[in-house]
Amino acid sequence: MSSNATVTCGVPQGSVLGPLLFLVYMNDIGKAIPNEKIKLFADDKNVFIFDNDSKGLCLKETDYLDKLNLWFLANKLTLSPTKTCYMFFSSKKI
């Protein structure tokens, strides 16, 4: 049996209100990069970035990750580098 502990931040895992409160909490993540749409699904987030050349795409990607990281820090969350990944799609060879 676990000992009692006071929750000062967040919601206990498995609580009835946990999923709803998580959605409310994450609702303004789009303000981190207002010109792009962030797709949310459960606890996953996706950002689709478009540009005409790979250099511009890389600059946007770095800028957006920095802005998202600031949003995460301001909301007492962390961006996990081991769970963060990206893919390039192109109709031409890059």
Side-chain angles (χ1 to χ4, degrees), residues 22-37:
F22 179 78
L23 291 174
V24 170
Y25 193 66
M26 296 300 294
N27 195 41
D28 74 337
I29 193 170
K31 293 178 182 175
I33 46 175
N35 298 329
E36 299 295 331
K37 291 185 178 177

Side-chain angles (χ1 to χ4, degrees), residues 38-49:
I38 298 177
K39 304 296 183 192
L40 304 174
F41 179 77
D43 63 349
D44 289 328
K45 291 112 203 101
N46 292 294
V47 180
F48 296 92
I49 306 168

Side-chain angles (χ1 to χ4, degrees), residues 1-2 6 13 15 27 29-30 32 35 37 39 41 43 51 55 59 62 69 72 74 80 82 86 88 92:
M1 180 174 245
S2 300
T6 302
Q13 188 172 0
S15 69
N27 195 41
I29 193 170
N35 298 329
K37 291 185 178 177
K39 304 296 183 192
F41 179 77
D43 63 349
D51 206 298
K55 192 173 189 174
L59 290 172
T62 302
N69 192 45
F72 275 84
S80 175
T82 59
Y86 62 92
F88 286 106
K92 301 182 240 178

